[in-house]
Amino acid sequence: MKKPSKIFNNIGLKIMAVIFSVLLWLVSVNINDPVDTEVYRNIPVELENTSLLTDEGMTYQVLDDTDRVTVTVRASRSVLENINASDVTATADFSELSFTNTVPIRLSLSRSLGSQIEISGNIDMVRLEVEERQEKQLVIEIEQVGTPADGYIVNNVLTTDGNALRISGPESLVSQVDRAVVEANVEGLTESINITEPIRLYDADGNEITSSRITKSVSTSNVSISILQTKEIPVTASASGEPAAGYAATGVVTCAPDRITVAGRSSALANLNEIVIPADELDLTGATEDVVELVDIREYLPDGVSLTNTSEDGFNGRVAVTAGVEPLVDRTGQLSQSRIQILNVPEGYQVTLDSQESVSIRLRGLQANLDAVDVTQLSGVIDVAAWMQENELTTLTEGELEMEVTVSIPDNLTQIGTVTAVVNVMTDATADQGAAGEAAAAGEAAAAGAVESATGTTDSANS
């Protein structure tokens, strides 16, 4: 009969010894290399296979910052000393997306540091907002801000790299976008410039939409701003043609407006001092009243010069040109004999105006022109030699004759008929006899006066 193996002798004591040894080892380890925890905050969750969602025309947004996780690692101190935040990896694979739009977070360490490691996070799911992706095409609008310097205007503002923008993103956001705007600041400008400005999105109420979830095909736009100098210049006009018989042009041609503001480069405006509307634009032929024509002033602007803000101030580029036409009026007046000269009297004759006869003249013209003339101040000339030649006379006959008077009148008046004056013609001999007779008569009158004077003196003495 075999004897029992000695290995089983005192088996209970042996088991207790093993247990005691293990406990002693654990106590020794915990004393020399204790288990501890380390917390790593704000660890980013790597999103994997997102194309599985976006390729289906969907978009997503992480909610409540669930793509950031706080990770706690439990391990022995010696192990923890070899771990840092970059070793902690958090991933969320979109292939595991649930119907509640959550993706589980998987935590791991990037390198193997033993099996006695526990790793956990404060959240275990990435929560998503998922919706359909939408695209929209917009025209880039330019919003002008400010005003140029005095004496300058904005000629035009345009984008030089196209005016179309394509945006895409969640339907709930893209559907709110109403306008795409680029700002052009022209404050104080005196010359043309090119600028690059960001494109901003606005809803129908004018509120800016700044969500990063909306993707733009371009984020900036190149803008060209053209600045022109301005100048205010007068507009003048004239007229052509003759009014109907019995009427005349007053010579007054007015323009409304009579001043316009134009714009252009300084070189184009330097020698531009007025705009002249030619006479053939206003034909007075046969007119019996004022003639009015609307003339498009833009036809007479030099190259490179344009009107400014015609739509804003109500001016449509047409100037109302008015030429005055009035009826002619006749007036008769008396010339002053003192302003009539008698010239070229033949030798041996004397010719004088008959002081008893008036000299009348009839004038025709516009009322205003007639009112401006004092007939008594007009000058006239009687050319005796010319009168004799016209009447084929070689000698003059003494007595009263009627001769023509040439009167100087203003250019804007017309003389109606011939002006004549009665003159007295006598020879020098007759004139001398007359003078002698007058002298004798004067002497006799003087003597008679002296006698009367002496008689009066004697009578006074006797008294």
Side-chain angles (χ1 to χ4, degrees):
M1 182 174 178
K2 264 188 175 181
K3 292 182 178 179
S5 176
K6 293 182 177 180
I7 194 171
F8 293 105
N9 292 339
N10 301 317
I11 187 66
L13 293 173
K14 290 178 179 179
I15 291 173
M16 289 179 64
V18 170
I19 293 173
F20 179 77
S21 297
V22 171
L23 291 173
L24 185 62
W25 179 81
L26 289 174
V27 170
S28 176
V29 167
N30 282 325
I31 292 174
N32 296 316
D33 190 13
V35 175
D36 204 351
T37 60
E38 187 72 40
V39 177
Y40 303 96
R41 303 183 186 281
N42 206 29
I43 300 299
V45 178
E46 298 177 13
L47 306 180
E48 298 178 342
N49 295 317
T50 57
S51 60
L52 294 174
L53 192 62
T54 57
D55 287 350
E56 294 297 322
M58 308 296 289
T59 65
Y60 66 88
Q61 180 182 14
V62 176
L63 299 176
D64 303 325
D65 294 326
T66 53
D67 58 349
R68 294 280 173 172
V69 62
T70 297
V71 177
T72 301
V73 178
R74 180 179 175 82
S76 61
R77 186 173 293 174
S78 61
V79 173
L80 291 176
E81 288 176 351
N82 294 313
I83 298 175
N84 56 48
S86 62
D87 295 322
V88 179
T89 302
T91 60
D93 193 334
F94 274 38
S95 63
E96 299 180 85
L97 178 67
S98 70
F99 71 93
T100 59
N101 294 329
T102 60
V103 182
I105 298 173
R106 308 297 182 187
L107 300 175
S108 63
L109 295 174
S110 60
R111 54 197 178 96
S112 177
L113 296 169
S115 60
Q116 301 299 317
I117 299 176
E118 296 178 13
I119 184 167
S120 62
N122 66 324
I123 57 174
D124 57 2
M125 293 286 180
V126 174
R127 295 195 303 115
L128 303 175
E129 180 184 278
V130 179
E131 59 180 303
E132 291 188 7
R133 179 174 176 272
Q134 184 181 15
E135 288 191 355
K136 181 182 283 189
Q137 193 87 2
L138 297 169
V139 174
I140 300 174
E141 302 175 20
I142 300 175
E143 187 173 278
Q144 181 178 313
V145 177
T147 55
D150 289 343
Y152 295 85
I153 64 165
V154 178
N155 181 39
N156 58 49
V157 181
L158 52 86
T159 57
T160 59
D161 50 0
N163 64 345
L165 172 70
R166 186 178 66 257
I167 62 173
S168 61
E171 181 181 13
S172 60
L173 289 175
V174 172
S175 62
Q176 295 180 43
V177 178
D178 183 62
R179 302 167 59 219
V181 178
V182 61
E183 184 178 283
N185 191 342
V186 302
E187 184 65 32
L189 290 183
T190 59
E191 59 184 14
S192 301
I193 62 170
N194 295 314
I195 58 176
T196 300
E197 293 293 323
I199 301 171
R200 294 184 170 88
L201 304 178
Y202 294 90
D203 64 17
D205 296 326
N207 301 311
E208 186 175 1
I209 300 173
T210 58
S211 174
S212 60
R213 298 183 65 194
I214 297 179
T215 302
K216 305 171 187 174
S217 58
V218 290
S219 59
T220 61
S221 180
N222 295 321
V223 180
S224 174
I225 303 174
S226 175
I227 300 295
L228 296 178
Q229 187 177 355
T230 62
K231 187 176 185 179
E232 187 180 70
I233 55 175
V235 179
T236 61
S238 56
S240 61
E242 291 295 329
Y247 294 83
T250 64
V252 177
V253 181
T254 60
C255 298
D258 59 357
R259 299 185 72 84
I260 60 173
T261 302
V262 295
R265 298 187 182 278
S266 55
S267 57
L269 298 180
N271 296 320
L272 182 61
N273 297 315
E274 68 173 345
I275 299 297
V276 179
I277 298 175
D280 55 11
E281 284 281 7
L282 206 63
D283 187 5
L284 306 184
T285 301
T288 58
E289 59 184 9
D290 292 351
V291 176
V292 181
E293 292 288 345
L294 288 177
V295 179
D296 193 337
I297 198 66
R298 288 169 290 195
E299 297 180 8
Y300 300 103
L301 297 179
D303 292 339
V305 176
S306 60
L307 294 176
T308 63
N309 302 327
T310 54
S311 59
E312 294 180 8
D313 56 17
F315 178 49
N316 62 1
R318 294 182 177 274
V319 174
V321 184
T322 304
V325 174
E326 294 181 3
L328 295 173
V329 178
D330 288 358
R331 175 181 292 177
T332 300
Q334 307 299 319
L335 296 176
S336 172
Q337 290 193 5
S338 64
R339 298 186 64 83
I340 299 175
Q341 290 183 288
I342 300 176
L343 304 177
N344 300 319
V345 178
E347 188 175 351
Y349 289 90
Q350 293 185 18
V351 178
T352 58
L353 287 169
D354 188 334
S355 60
Q356 302 302 314
E357 298 288 340
S358 61
V359 180
S360 298
I361 184 171
R362 185 181 180 188
L363 298 176
R364 175 174 295 172
L366 299 172
Q367 187 67 57
N369 295 335
L370 289 172
D371 292 343
V373 174
D374 182 357
V375 175
T376 63
Q377 297 301 307
L378 296 179
S379 298
V381 172
I382 298 176
D383 189 333
V384 177
W387 179 84
M388 293 175 62
Q389 183 177 1
E390 183 178 348
N391 289 275
E392 299 179 349
L393 298 176
T394 57
T395 60
L396 289 174
T397 302
E398 289 188 291
E400 291 184 350
L401 295 176
E402 190 172 328
M403 293 187 177
E404 182 178 349
V405 181
T406 302
V407 183
S408 297
I409 62 173
D411 293 337
N412 53 21
L413 298 177
T414 302
Q415 177 182 309
I416 304 302
T418 302
V419 177
T420 60
V422 176
V423 297
N424 293 313
V425 178
M426 63 181 66
T427 63
D428 288 342
T430 303
D432 290 343
Q433 290 177 1
E438 289 179 0
E444 291 176 359
V451 171
E452 288 184 8
S453 178
T455 303
T457 302
T458 302
D459 291 340
S460 176
N462 292 330
S463 299

